[in-house]
Tab-separated table of all heavy atoms in Angstrom:
chain	number	residue	atom	x	y	z
A	1238	THR	N	-101.921	7.281	-143.348
A	1238	THR	CA	-103.276	6.933	-142.872
A	1238	THR	C	-104.354	7.638	-143.680
A	1238	THR	O	-105.458	7.168	-143.840
A	1238	THR	CB	-103.396	7.272	-141.390
A	1238	THR	OG1	-103.081	8.658	-141.179
A	1238	THR	CG2	-102.461	6.371	-140.533
A	1239	SER	N	-104.032	8.853	-144.173
A	1239	SER	CA	-105.001	9.575	-145.024
A	1239	SER	C	-104.242	10.626	-145.819
A	1239	SER	O	-103.207	11.146	-145.355
A	1239	SER	CB	-106.113	10.202	-144.241
A	1239	SER	OG	-105.587	11.253	-143.403
A	1240	ILE	N	-104.762	10.911	-147.012
A	1240	ILE	CA	-104.167	11.939	-147.865
A	1240	ILE	C	-105.227	12.501	-148.776
A	1240	ILE	O	-106.094	11.771	-149.318
A	1240	ILE	CB	-102.963	11.400	-148.693
A	1240	ILE	CG1	-102.281	12.484	-149.480
A	1240	ILE	CG2	-103.423	10.263	-149.599
A	1240	ILE	CD1	-100.980	12.048	-150.127
A	1241	ALA	N	-105.226	13.819	-148.888
A	1241	ALA	CA	-106.220	14.493	-149.785
A	1241	ALA	C	-105.743	14.253	-151.241
A	1241	ALA	O	-104.633	14.547	-151.602
A	1241	ALA	CB	-106.268	15.941	-149.483
A	1242	VAL	N	-106.707	13.754	-152.059
A	1242	VAL	CA	-106.430	13.520	-153.455
A	1242	VAL	C	-107.625	14.159	-154.254
A	1242	VAL	O	-108.734	13.624	-154.186
A	1242	VAL	CB	-106.347	12.077	-153.821
A	1242	VAL	CG1	-105.987	11.873	-155.316
A	1242	VAL	CG2	-105.309	11.339	-152.941
A	1243	GLY	N	-107.369	15.305	-154.862
A	1243	GLY	CA	-108.479	16.051	-155.480
A	1243	GLY	C	-109.564	16.383	-154.506
A	1243	GLY	O	-109.298	16.987	-153.433
A	1244	ASN	N	-110.800	15.977	-154.834
A	1244	ASN	CA	-111.903	16.269	-153.938
A	1244	ASN	C	-112.195	15.144	-152.929
A	1244	ASN	O	-113.207	15.151	-152.246
A	1244	ASN	CB	-113.177	16.478	-154.760
A	1244	ASN	CG	-113.607	15.232	-155.517
A	1244	ASN	OD1	-112.769	14.344	-155.845
A	1244	ASN	ND2	-114.917	15.067	-155.774
A	1245	ALA	N	-111.304	14.158	-152.823
A	1245	ALA	CA	-111.496	13.008	-151.951
A	1245	ALA	C	-110.323	12.914	-150.937
A	1245	ALA	O	-109.290	13.562	-151.063
A	1245	ALA	CB	-111.556	11.720	-152.742
A	1246	THR	N	-110.616	12.134	-149.887
A	1246	THR	CA	-109.595	11.756	-148.940
A	1246	THR	C	-109.467	10.265	-148.979
A	1246	THR	O	-110.406	9.521	-148.732
A	1246	THR	CB	-109.914	12.272	-147.497
A	1246	THR	OG1	-110.055	13.655	-147.505
A	1246	THR	CG2	-108.853	11.808	-146.522
A	1247	LEU	N	-108.217	9.763	-149.269
A	1247	LEU	CA	-107.987	8.360	-149.429
A	1247	LEU	C	-106.978	7.900	-148.356
A	1247	LEU	O	-106.225	8.697	-147.820
A	1247	LEU	CB	-107.411	8.030	-150.850
A	1247	LEU	CG	-108.271	8.472	-152.021
A	1247	LEU	CD1	-107.593	8.132	-153.326
A	1247	LEU	CD2	-109.642	7.821	-151.982
A	1248	THR	N	-106.977	6.622	-148.126
A	1248	THR	CA	-105.958	6.026	-147.229
A	1248	THR	C	-104.726	5.631	-148.040
A	1248	THR	O	-104.779	5.431	-149.297
A	1248	THR	CB	-106.511	4.806	-146.502
A	1248	THR	OG1	-106.734	3.757	-147.472
A	1248	THR	CG2	-107.767	5.116	-145.766
A	1249	GLY	N	-103.625	5.479	-147.339
A	1249	GLY	CA	-102.374	5.016	-147.996
A	1249	GLY	C	-102.582	3.602	-148.617
A	1249	GLY	O	-102.057	3.284	-149.657
A	1250	ARG	N	-103.379	2.816	-147.897
A	1250	ARG	CA	-103.645	1.439	-148.426
A	1250	ARG	C	-104.409	1.484	-149.713
A	1250	ARG	O	-104.113	0.755	-150.665
A	1250	ARG	CB	-104.490	0.671	-147.374
A	1250	ARG	CG	-104.892	-0.707	-147.847
A	1250	ARG	CD	-105.794	-1.415	-146.852
A	1250	ARG	NE	-106.256	-2.696	-147.375
A	1250	ARG	CZ	-107.151	-3.487	-146.807
A	1250	ARG	NH1	-107.711	-3.049	-145.692
A	1250	ARG	NH2	-107.501	-4.615	-147.301
A	1251	GLN	N	-105.353	2.417	-149.851
A	1251	GLN	CA	-106.081	2.588	-151.086
A	1251	GLN	C	-105.187	3.034	-152.212
A	1251	GLN	O	-105.290	2.462	-153.334
A	1251	GLN	CB	-107.242	3.560	-150.948
A	1251	GLN	CG	-108.399	3.075	-150.076
A	1251	GLN	CD	-109.437	4.100	-149.809
A	1251	GLN	OE1	-109.088	5.247	-149.437
A	1251	GLN	NE2	-110.714	3.749	-150.049
A	1252	ILE	N	-104.298	3.929	-151.945
A	1252	ILE	CA	-103.351	4.404	-152.947
A	1252	ILE	C	-102.446	3.230	-153.349
A	1252	ILE	O	-102.137	3.029	-154.530
A	1252	ILE	CB	-102.509	5.592	-152.418
A	1252	ILE	CG1	-103.419	6.788	-152.132
A	1252	ILE	CG2	-101.417	5.973	-153.452
A	1252	ILE	CD1	-103.979	7.459	-153.332
A	1253	ARG	N	-101.922	2.568	-152.358
A	1253	ARG	CA	-101.010	1.443	-152.606
A	1253	ARG	C	-101.651	0.408	-153.491
A	1253	ARG	O	-101.028	-0.039	-154.497
A	1253	ARG	CB	-100.597	0.787	-151.297
A	1253	ARG	CG	-99.636	-0.391	-151.497
A	1253	ARG	CD	-99.628	-1.345	-150.342
A	1253	ARG	NE	-98.760	-2.486	-150.726
A	1253	ARG	CZ	-98.772	-3.656	-150.098
A	1253	ARG	NH1	-99.542	-3.877	-149.095
A	1253	ARG	NH2	-97.968	-4.634	-150.529
A	1254	GLU	N	-102.859	-0.014	-153.177
A	1254	GLU	CA	-103.507	-1.092	-153.944
A	1254	GLU	C	-103.898	-0.594	-155.353
A	1254	GLU	O	-103.838	-1.408	-156.302
A	1254	GLU	CB	-104.740	-1.582	-153.164
A	1254	GLU	CG	-104.349	-2.344	-151.883
A	1254	GLU	CD	-105.533	-2.727	-151.082
A	1254	GLU	OE1	-106.674	-2.278	-151.371
A	1254	GLU	OE2	-105.370	-3.475	-150.080
A	1255	THR	N	-104.246	0.653	-155.496
A	1255	THR	CA	-104.615	1.196	-156.813
A	1255	THR	C	-103.377	1.270	-157.707
A	1255	THR	O	-103.519	0.964	-158.923
A	1255	THR	CB	-105.273	2.571	-156.653
A	1255	THR	OG1	-106.412	2.440	-155.848
A	1255	THR	CG2	-105.625	3.145	-158.010
A	1256	LEU	N	-102.289	1.718	-157.202
A	1256	LEU	CA	-101.118	1.958	-158.000
A	1256	LEU	C	-100.072	0.864	-157.939
A	1256	LEU	O	-99.056	0.893	-158.673
A	1256	LEU	CB	-100.429	3.274	-157.560
A	1256	LEU	CG	-101.310	4.540	-157.667
A	1256	LEU	CD1	-100.494	5.774	-157.161
A	1256	LEU	CD2	-101.865	4.735	-159.027
A	1257	GLY	N	-100.334	-0.191	-157.159
A	1257	GLY	CA	-99.373	-1.307	-157.065
A	1257	GLY	C	-98.061	-0.908	-156.373
A	1257	GLY	O	-97.012	-1.457	-156.718
A	1258	LEU	N	-98.144	-0.012	-155.394
A	1258	LEU	CA	-96.958	0.352	-154.640
A	1258	LEU	C	-96.502	-0.752	-153.726
A	1258	LEU	O	-97.293	-1.588	-153.283
A	1258	LEU	CB	-97.192	1.643	-153.820
A	1258	LEU	CG	-97.702	2.835	-154.596
A	1258	LEU	CD1	-97.893	4.025	-153.660
A	1258	LEU	CD2	-96.750	3.241	-155.750
A	1259	ARG	N	-95.274	-0.796	-153.375
A	1259	ARG	CA	-94.775	-1.862	-152.499
A	1259	ARG	C	-95.274	-1.743	-151.075
A	1259	ARG	O	-95.351	-2.730	-150.393
A	1259	ARG	CB	-93.245	-1.852	-152.534
A	1259	ARG	CG	-92.629	-2.502	-153.747
A	1259	ARG	CD	-91.126	-2.157	-153.920
A	1259	ARG	NE	-90.347	-2.656	-152.774
A	1259	ARG	CZ	-89.740	-3.873	-152.757
A	1259	ARG	NH1	-89.887	-4.714	-153.765
A	1259	ARG	NH2	-88.969	-4.189	-151.702
A	1260	SER	N	-95.678	-0.583	-150.629
A	1260	SER	CA	-96.229	-0.440	-149.296
A	1260	SER	C	-97.011	0.887	-149.279
A	1260	SER	O	-97.024	1.684	-150.236
A	1260	SER	CB	-95.117	-0.375	-148.201
A	1260	SER	OG	-94.552	0.881	-148.089
A	1261	ALA	N	-97.695	1.100	-148.093
A	1261	ALA	CA	-98.431	2.363	-147.903
A	1261	ALA	C	-97.626	3.375	-147.154
A	1261	ALA	O	-98.129	4.433	-146.730
A	1261	ALA	CB	-99.707	2.042	-147.133
A	1262	ASN	N	-96.300	3.126	-147.027
A	1262	ASN	CA	-95.364	4.078	-146.423
A	1262	ASN	C	-94.667	4.811	-147.559
A	1262	ASN	O	-93.702	4.304	-148.090
A	1262	ASN	CB	-94.386	3.287	-145.551
A	1262	ASN	CG	-93.448	4.187	-144.779
A	1262	ASN	OD1	-93.099	5.263	-145.230
A	1262	ASN	ND2	-92.971	3.713	-143.642
A	1263	PHE	N	-95.207	5.968	-147.942
A	1263	PHE	CA	-94.684	6.593	-149.154
A	1263	PHE	C	-94.796	8.144	-149.040
A	1263	PHE	O	-95.541	8.660	-148.253
A	1263	PHE	CB	-95.407	6.128	-150.400
A	1263	PHE	CG	-96.874	6.454	-150.389
A	1263	PHE	CD1	-97.346	7.739	-150.797
A	1263	PHE	CD2	-97.810	5.478	-150.095
A	1263	PHE	CE1	-98.709	8.002	-150.808
A	1263	PHE	CE2	-99.164	5.778	-150.073
A	1263	PHE	CZ	-99.614	7.032	-150.415
A	1264	GLN	N	-94.029	8.815	-149.895
A	1264	GLN	CA	-94.143	10.243	-150.109
A	1264	GLN	C	-94.299	10.406	-151.576
A	1264	GLN	O	-93.759	9.645	-152.398
A	1264	GLN	CB	-92.855	10.958	-149.622
A	1264	GLN	CG	-92.652	10.947	-148.124
A	1264	GLN	CD	-91.415	11.656	-147.695
A	1264	GLN	OE1	-90.396	11.661	-148.411
A	1264	GLN	NE2	-91.417	12.270	-146.499
A	1265	VAL	N	-95.027	11.446	-152.018
A	1265	VAL	CA	-95.246	11.671	-153.435
A	1265	VAL	C	-94.790	13.121	-153.799
A	1265	VAL	O	-95.031	14.077	-153.011
A	1265	VAL	CB	-96.719	11.487	-153.826
A	1265	VAL	CG1	-97.647	12.307	-152.994
A	1265	VAL	CG2	-96.925	11.675	-155.329
A	1266	LEU	N	-94.082	13.187	-154.897
A	1266	LEU	CA	-93.595	14.512	-155.404
A	1266	LEU	C	-94.010	14.668	-156.814
A	1266	LEU	O	-93.785	13.775	-157.687
A	1266	LEU	CB	-92.046	14.570	-155.244
A	1266	LEU	CG	-91.343	15.815	-155.740
A	1266	LEU	CD1	-91.791	17.040	-154.893
A	1266	LEU	CD2	-89.828	15.669	-155.744
A	1267	ALA	N	-94.586	15.846	-157.144
A	1267	ALA	CA	-94.996	16.120	-158.548
A	1267	ALA	C	-94.029	17.171	-159.134
A	1267	ALA	O	-93.703	18.154	-158.478
A	1267	ALA	CB	-96.397	16.716	-158.545
A	1268	ALA	N	-93.575	16.856	-160.367
A	1268	ALA	CA	-92.688	17.793	-161.066
A	1268	ALA	C	-92.831	17.594	-162.560
A	1268	ALA	O	-92.671	16.446	-163.035
A	1268	ALA	CB	-91.237	17.588	-160.635
A	1269	ASP	N	-93.205	18.672	-163.301
A	1269	ASP	CA	-93.260	18.604	-164.742
A	1269	ASP	C	-94.215	17.530	-165.214
A	1269	ASP	O	-93.939	16.803	-166.195
A	1269	ASP	CB	-91.911	18.402	-165.354
A	1269	ASP	CG	-90.942	19.551	-165.025
A	1269	ASP	OD1	-91.386	20.686	-164.919
A	1269	ASP	OD2	-89.772	19.244	-164.771
A	1270	GLY	N	-95.374	17.364	-164.518
A	1270	GLY	CA	-96.366	16.385	-165.011
A	1270	GLY	C	-95.996	14.943	-164.731
A	1270	GLY	O	-96.643	14.009	-165.185
A	1271	VAL	N	-95.004	14.752	-163.872
A	1271	VAL	CA	-94.607	13.365	-163.433
A	1271	VAL	C	-94.709	13.281	-161.926
A	1271	VAL	O	-94.223	14.155	-161.191
A	1271	VAL	CB	-93.183	13.048	-163.905
A	1271	VAL	CG1	-92.761	11.676	-163.386
A	1271	VAL	CG2	-93.073	13.120	-165.410
A	1272	PHE	N	-95.334	12.204	-161.472
A	1272	PHE	CA	-95.506	11.979	-160.023
A	1272	PHE	C	-94.596	10.822	-159.594
A	1272	PHE	O	-94.673	9.676	-160.112
A	1272	PHE	CB	-96.940	11.613	-159.727
A	1272	PHE	CG	-97.896	12.789	-159.906
A	1272	PHE	CD1	-98.347	13.137	-161.187
A	1272	PHE	CD2	-98.279	13.544	-158.793
A	1272	PHE	CE1	-99.217	14.186	-161.326
A	1272	PHE	CE2	-99.125	14.606	-159.002
A	1272	PHE	CZ	-99.602	14.950	-160.231
A	1273	THR	N	-93.683	11.128	-158.711
A	1273	THR	CA	-92.730	10.151	-158.223
A	1273	THR	C	-93.063	9.777	-156.755
A	1273	THR	O	-93.147	10.640	-155.837
A	1273	THR	CB	-91.294	10.680	-158.278
A	1273	THR	OG1	-91.030	11.003	-159.606
A	1273	THR	CG2	-90.300	9.633	-157.736
A	1274	PHE	N	-93.283	8.473	-156.522
A	1274	PHE	CA	-93.579	7.948	-155.206
A	1274	PHE	C	-92.315	7.332	-154.651
A	1274	PHE	O	-91.730	6.400	-155.275
A	1274	PHE	CB	-94.685	6.890	-155.271
A	1274	PHE	CG	-96.053	7.504	-155.589
A	1274	PHE	CD1	-96.372	7.806	-156.916
A	1274	PHE	CD2	-97.002	7.713	-154.601
A	1274	PHE	CE1	-97.621	8.342	-157.216
A	1274	PHE	CE2	-98.236	8.256	-154.877
A	1274	PHE	CZ	-98.560	8.553	-156.182
A	1275	THR	N	-91.844	7.779	-153.518
A	1275	THR	CA	-90.721	7.180	-152.812
A	1275	THR	C	-91.315	6.294	-151.705
A	1275	THR	O	-92.033	6.788	-150.838
A	1275	THR	CB	-89.831	8.251	-152.199
A	1275	THR	OG1	-89.314	9.064	-153.254
A	1275	THR	CG2	-88.638	7.602	-151.458
A	1276	VAL	N	-91.019	5.014	-151.761
A	1276	VAL	CA	-91.722	4.023	-150.951
A	1276	VAL	C	-90.739	3.331	-150.033
A	1276	VAL	O	-89.640	2.952	-150.477
A	1276	VAL	CB	-92.443	2.968	-151.832
A	1276	VAL	CG1	-93.250	1.975	-150.955
A	1276	VAL	CG2	-93.343	3.638	-152.865
A	1277	LYS	N	-91.100	3.169	-148.800
A	1277	LYS	CA	-90.247	2.432	-147.867
A	1277	LYS	C	-90.953	1.115	-147.471
A	1277	LYS	O	-92.117	1.089	-147.191
A	1277	LYS	CB	-90.019	3.254	-146.582
A	1277	LYS	CG	-89.167	4.506	-146.849
A	1277	LYS	CD	-88.923	5.284	-145.512
A	1277	LYS	CE	-88.087	6.548	-145.768
A	1277	LYS	NZ	-87.900	7.312	-144.539
A	1278	GLY	N	-90.189	0.025	-147.452
A	1278	GLY	CA	-90.663	-1.235	-146.984
A	1278	GLY	C	-91.366	-1.989	-148.151
A	1278	GLY	O	-91.453	-1.497	-149.288
A	1279	TYR	N	-91.899	-3.164	-147.810
A	1279	TYR	CA	-92.568	-4.018	-148.792
A	1279	TYR	C	-93.591	-4.852	-148.026
A	1279	TYR	O	-93.272	-5.674	-147.186
A	1279	TYR	CB	-91.565	-4.887	-149.516
A	1279	TYR	CG	-92.126	-5.704	-150.671
A	1279	TYR	CD1	-93.310	-5.369	-151.279
A	1279	TYR	CD2	-91.439	-6.831	-151.120
A	1279	TYR	CE1	-93.788	-6.093	-152.340
A	1279	TYR	CE2	-91.951	-7.578	-152.200
A	1279	TYR	CZ	-93.128	-7.203	-152.789
A	1279	TYR	OH	-93.611	-7.961	-153.832
A	1280	GLY	N	-94.843	-4.611	-148.351
A	1280	GLY	CA	-95.974	-5.349	-147.725
A	1280	GLY	C	-96.830	-4.431	-146.843
A	1280	GLY	O	-96.610	-3.226	-146.792
A	1281	HIS	N	-97.761	-5.056	-146.174
A	1281	HIS	CA	-98.676	-4.236	-145.342
A	1281	HIS	C	-98.039	-3.708	-144.062
A	1281	HIS	O	-98.543	-2.767	-143.462
A	1281	HIS	CB	-99.957	-5.064	-145.001
A	1281	HIS	CG	-99.643	-6.454	-144.453
A	1281	HIS	ND1	-98.951	-6.662	-143.301
A	1281	HIS	CD2	-99.978	-7.664	-144.968
A	1281	HIS	CE1	-98.869	-7.962	-143.090
A	1281	HIS	NE2	-99.436	-8.573	-144.083
A	1282	GLY	N	-96.930	-4.298	-143.632
A	1282	GLY	CA	-96.204	-3.822	-142.509
A	1282	GLY	C	-96.652	-4.285	-141.199
A	1282	GLY	O	-96.126	-3.905	-140.158
A	1283	VAL	N	-97.681	-5.174	-141.132
A	1283	VAL	CA	-98.263	-5.596	-139.872
A	1283	VAL	C	-97.677	-6.977	-139.480
A	1283	VAL	O	-97.494	-7.849	-140.334
A	1283	VAL	CB	-99.812	-5.725	-140.002
A	1283	VAL	CG1	-100.423	-6.103	-138.607
A	1283	VAL	CG2	-100.395	-4.369	-140.448
A	1284	GLY	N	-97.487	-7.164	-138.175
A	1284	GLY	CA	-96.949	-8.470	-137.742
A	1284	GLY	C	-95.472	-8.593	-137.904
A	1284	GLY	O	-94.705	-7.625	-137.822
A	1285	MET	N	-94.992	-9.832	-138.158
A	1285	MET	CA	-93.605	-10.127	-138.243
A	1285	MET	C	-93.035	-9.593	-139.589
A	1285	MET	O	-93.557	-9.836	-140.657
A	1285	MET	CB	-93.343	-11.581	-138.132
A	1285	MET	CG	-91.835	-11.942	-138.139
A	1285	MET	SD	-91.523	-13.685	-137.940
A	1285	MET	CE	-92.029	-14.309	-139.560
A	1286	SER	N	-91.907	-8.845	-139.472
A	1286	SER	CA	-91.132	-8.478	-140.649
A	1286	SER	C	-90.199	-9.626	-140.903
A	1286	SER	O	-89.407	-10.030	-140.024
A	1286	SER	CB	-90.335	-7.195	-140.413
A	1286	SER	OG	-89.302	-7.050	-141.362
A	1287	GLN	N	-90.193	-10.150	-142.103
A	1287	GLN	CA	-89.285	-11.262	-142.425
A	1287	GLN	C	-87.813	-10.893	-142.498
A	1287	GLN	O	-86.976	-11.580	-141.924
A	1287	GLN	CB	-89.741	-11.916	-143.742
A	1287	GLN	CG	-91.099	-12.560	-143.678
A	1287	GLN	CD	-91.603	-12.980	-145.047
A	1287	GLN	OE1	-91.595	-12.213	-146.012
A	1287	GLN	NE2	-92.136	-14.222	-145.135
A	1288	TYR	N	-87.546	-9.730	-143.086
A	1288	TYR	CA	-86.148	-9.243	-143.085
A	1288	TYR	C	-85.741	-8.835	-141.687
A	1288	TYR	O	-84.591	-9.031	-141.274
A	1288	TYR	CB	-85.959	-8.128	-144.102
A	1288	TYR	CG	-85.655	-8.598	-145.475
A	1288	TYR	CD1	-86.653	-8.924	-146.377
A	1288	TYR	CD2	-84.367	-8.823	-145.879
A	1288	TYR	CE1	-86.368	-9.422	-147.672
A	1288	TYR	CE2	-84.014	-9.264	-147.139
A	1288	TYR	CZ	-85.028	-9.551	-148.022
A	1288	TYR	OH	-84.742	-10.054	-149.300
Side-chain angles (χ1 to χ4, degrees):
T1238 55
S1239 67
I1240 185 170
V1242 184
N1244 65 333
T1246 299
L1247 303 178
T1248 66
R1250 178 186 175 186
Q1251 289 174 312
I1252 298 289
R1253 178 201 176 198
E1254 293 176 350
T1255 299
L1256 302 180
L1258 304 180
R1259 282 167 59 92
S1260 84
N1262 184 330
F1263 62 81
Q1264 294 179 327
V1265 57
L1266 177 65
D1269 301 324
V1271 176
F1272 291 81
T1273 299
F1274 290 80
T1275 300
V1276 185
K1277 293 181 180 179
Y1279 186 21
H1281 48 64
V1283 182
M1285 184 178 73
S1286 162
Q1287 294 171 313
Y1288 273 88

